[in-house]
Amino acid sequence: MQEQQLGAVPTKRELKRQEKLKKKEEKRKKKRALRLIPANRKGKHVMHLMNLLRVFVYPLHYIIYPFKMYGHKKVGKGACIYVGNHYSLWDIAYPAHTTWEGIHYITKESVLHLPVVGYFARKVGAIAVMRDGSDIRALMDAMKALKNGEKVSLYPEGTRNRGDGEEFLPFYSGAALMAIKTQTPIVPIVICNKPRVWHKTHVRVGEPFELTEYYGKKLSQEEYAEADNSIRDRLYELREEHRAEQRAKKENRKRK
């Protein structure tokens, strides 16, 4: 008669460790849970806490890092995807100056676990993504928000650009896919010069545009990459348009 093999019985210590890991995972999922905002009677998705932050925090931003925005009144109500270049934590203020609606910012998951910043990020519906940018859940949550008529903001560089700022960092994929799958307009927003304390930063918001040439098609990874590249090219074009405009104004002042 063969002896029956029995599995090892977990020790109390192992059971306790497993329970601790389970609670930790549940807590992590709770922090990442998507917070959709229903539309009000005017069809706007308002985040009251974000509006409070606009009133009290953003003036502080303006004092430390003064800035001037161009084209920000082009953004209307309803779903859109803000796509911009990235220099500092303060960059999140620029999309917020274009609207009084809520914005779901896509951020690194580690931000949600920070003591103070993480608390507010969770409360205003930030969407967490893994550091390598390959988080499918974050992508799905962002598309749910867009289909709900809300705004999403992301920085495809994935991290702050610590160089001279002339060249953008390589873009992670995702912005084009979201825009195409949900048929949502993209709002390009480019920081035209690297922010410095007490020095004015120029921020240009471009006309919303859609990637209509890709709608309704089964696309390959190469075609999605091509669409992402077109978004990056638009940011470069927008920055050059702004600089050309500023050079022309400077020349006109000299002639006078």
Side-chain angles (χ1 to χ4, degrees):
M1 183 176 179
Q2 296 180 347
E3 293 183 2
Q4 186 177 6
Q5 298 294 325
L6 299 176
V9 178
T11 63
K12 288 184 178 180
R13 185 176 180 180
E14 180 63 21
L15 288 171
K16 190 174 181 180
R17 188 183 73 84
Q18 290 177 3
E19 184 65 23
K20 187 176 181 181
L21 288 174
K22 184 179 178 181
K23 288 181 178 179
K24 187 176 180 180
E25 180 62 19
E26 288 175 352
K27 188 176 181 180
R28 188 182 72 85
K29 286 182 178 179
K30 187 177 180 180
K31 285 184 176 181
R32 293 193 59 183
L34 177 64
R35 298 168 59 89
L36 292 175
I37 307 299
N40 62 18
R41 291 181 179 178
K42 295 182 179 180
K44 294 183 178 182
H45 299 263
V46 178
M47 293 182 185
H48 297 292
L49 177 59
M50 185 172 285
N51 284 346
L52 190 67
L53 292 173
R54 283 182 172 106
V55 173
F56 290 102
V57 177
Y58 295 151
L60 177 64
H61 171 217
Y62 185 82
I63 293 171
I64 300 174
Y65 290 99
F67 60 89
K68 183 174 182 179
M69 295 193 68
Y70 305 80
H72 56 285
K73 294 182 180 180
K74 298 173 183 175
V75 182
K77 70 178 182 180
C80 71
I81 304 170
Y82 294 97
V83 180
N85 56 329
H86 192 25
Y87 290 116
S88 74
L89 180 63
W90 290 104
D91 296 345
I92 62 174
Y94 303 128
H97 278 291
T98 70
T99 180
W100 283 97
E101 287 194 278
I103 301 173
H104 291 277
Y105 289 93
I106 296 181
T107 185
K108 292 181 292 188
E109 185 178 19
S110 58
V111 171
L112 300 189
H113 300 282
L114 296 175
V116 178
V117 175
Y119 171 81
F120 285 104
R122 295 193 300 274
K123 288 297 183 181
V124 297
I127 298 173
V129 67
M130 303 301 286
R131 181 174 286 274
D132 63 2
S134 61
D135 196 327
I136 298 299
R137 176 175 174 174
L139 189 64
M140 297 303 292
D141 281 350
M143 289 196 291
K144 284 179 184 177
L146 293 170
K147 289 177 180 178
N148 193 47
E150 300 185 64
K151 292 174 165 59
V152 168
S153 177
L154 72 156
Y155 301 92
E157 291 172 290
T159 189
R160 287 171 284 180
N161 190 333
R162 300 183 186 279
D164 60 13
E166 283 302 301
E167 294 294 327
F168 301 147
L169 299 177
F171 276 23
Y172 285 108
S173 61
L177 188 149
M178 284 191 293
I180 294 166
K181 290 289 188 182
T182 61
Q183 298 190 4
T184 301
I186 295 168
V187 176
I189 179 166
V190 64
I191 305 167
C192 299
N193 56 300
K194 197 166 186 176
R196 294 165 55 200
V197 176
W198 318 130
H199 289 73
K200 184 174 287 187
T201 302
H202 294 261
V203 182
R204 174 75 68 169
V205 180
E207 292 281 356
F209 68 95
E210 295 188 49
L211 299 170
T212 53
E213 64 270 32
Y214 297 100
Y215 288 176
K217 298 178 182 179
K218 187 176 181 180
L219 303 176
S220 64
Q221 289 186 346
E222 290 74 18
E223 287 171 313
Y224 278 120
E226 178 186 86
D228 277 311
N229 286 338
S230 71
I231 298 172
R232 182 188 60 193
D233 291 343
R234 180 59 191 136
L235 292 181
Y236 275 124
E237 291 169 4
L238 190 61
R239 187 177 67 180
E240 185 50 41
E241 288 170 11
H242 173 79
R243 290 178 175 177
E245 182 182 296
Q246 294 303 302
R247 287 194 296 268
K249 287 182 179 179
K250 191 174 181 179
E251 289 298 321
N252 287 335
R253 285 196 295 268
K254 285 183 178 178
R255 292 193 190 100
K256 293 178 181 179

